[in-house]
Amino acid sequence: MTLIQLVKPNPSHIASYVQALKSGWHDMPTGTAPESVLNKIRELEEDPSEHLSLFDDPNARAQPYLLPDKTVAYAVPSLRRWIWNQATHEYCGTLSLRWQKNTTELPPHLMGHIGYCVAPGFQNKGYASFALGEMLKLAHQQGLPFVYIVTNTDNLASIRVIERNAGELVETFTKPAMYGTTLAHRYKLKTGP
């Protein structure tokens, strides 16, 4: 059995994830207010069922949410998974796949199909490279022939992860103001064999 796996979490995984959130790190969007992280911890400790139910959301049941510029974004079909260390029973990171049905296009508020982050202490160990490879298989199962991933031009670790998974640089661009107007690379990755 592989020690690092991509898992759809169940209640037994929650405690390790909550511990990561309590450490001051989170996998929520950049700029998330500290009280939002505390609310998430409270919700997970009281009843994680709704949080867990949305890890597979191919019908976009998730509630609309506010973007950093305060406009409303509506859910798109999505799958989320956690990077999980089977040996130590630890949460290591999160990946998400987003798409629109019958197209490879994304709505304007989503710059890429896949997003990922790895918790401190688990970075630079190959976990993200492995997990991205597994998520590409899930994207293929959803009928996506390719996906786009965006990363800042100075995020060398993320660039290595993408390139290890055969990502091809498509463009370099400036992110919209609500995402910080930083320079970013957009990569295209094939999902099939």
Side-chain angles (χ1 to χ4, degrees), residues 149-154 159 162 169 171-173 183-187:
I149 297 180
V150 171
T151 188
N152 289 349
T153 57
D154 62 354
I159 290 169
I162 294 166
L169 182 61
E171 67 173 329
T172 300
F173 67 101
L183 273 180
H185 291 315
R186 180 173 283 113
Y187 288 87

Side-chain angles (χ1 to χ4, degrees), residues 127-171:
Y127 292 11
S129 294
F130 166 80
L132 178 55
E134 294 298 298
M135 188 58 92
L136 289 171
K137 294 175 188 175
L138 292 176
H140 184 69
Q141 291 172 9
Q142 297 304 320
L144 292 167
F146 64 86
V147 295
Y148 291 115
I149 297 180
V150 171
T151 188
N152 289 349
T153 57
D154 62 354
N155 189 340
L156 301 181
S158 185
I159 290 169
R160 282 194 304 272
V161 167
I162 294 166
E163 290 178 347
R164 282 186 188 126
N165 281 279
E168 298 177 21
L169 182 61
V170 174
E171 67 173 329

Side-chain angles (χ1 to χ4, degrees), residues 86-133:
Q86 290 288 95
T88 60
H89 304 287
E90 287 181 283
Y91 165 85
C92 304
T94 299
L95 285 91
S96 60
L97 169 66
R98 297 86 55 144
W99 70 95
Q100 293 189 108
K101 293 191 178 199
N102 304 315
T103 181
T104 55
E105 296 298 314
L106 286 167
H109 69 278
L110 294 175
M111 292 182 289
H113 292 92
I114 294 177
Y116 59 88
C117 58
V118 177
F122 302 103
Q123 297 170 356
N124 300 311
K125 296 181 184 220
Y127 292 11
S129 294
F130 166 80
L132 178 55

Side-chain angles (χ1 to χ4, degrees), residues 5-6 18-19 23 27 62 93 178 192:
Q5 296 183 328
L6 204 59
V18 168
Q19 184 178 353
S23 75
D27 60 347
M178 70 177 168

Side-chain angles (χ1 to χ4, degrees), residues 1-14 16-17 51-52 54-56 79-87 89-96 127 130-132 134-135 138:
M1 175 171 58
T2 305
L3 295 180
I4 303 304
Q5 296 183 328
L6 204 59
V7 300
K8 178 183 173 185
N10 62 49
S12 70
H13 296 103
I14 293 294
S16 180
Y17 177 62
H51 180 78
L52 293 172
L54 293 175
F55 270 75
D56 283 359
L79 297 176
R80 283 189 299 145
R81 295 293 183 264
W82 283 352
I83 306 169
W84 189 258
N85 186 319
Q86 290 288 95
H89 304 287
E90 287 181 283
Y91 165 85
C92 304
T94 299
L95 285 91
S96 60
Y127 292 11
F130 166 80
L132 178 55
E134 294 298 298
M135 188 58 92
L138 292 176

Side-chain angles (χ1 to χ4, degrees), residues 40-77:
K40 186 172 190 177
I41 291 169
R42 195 168 23 261
E43 289 168 12
L44 288 168
E45 290 179 330
E46 290 172 6
D47 180 12
S49 59
E50 184 173 344
H51 180 78
L52 293 172
S53 74
L54 293 175
F55 270 75
D56 283 359
D57 191 15
N59 297 314
R61 295 177 298 116
Q63 295 294 315
Y65 56 96
L66 284 179
L67 295 169
D69 69 354
K70 306 301 182 207
T71 59
V72 175
Y74 292 90
V76 296

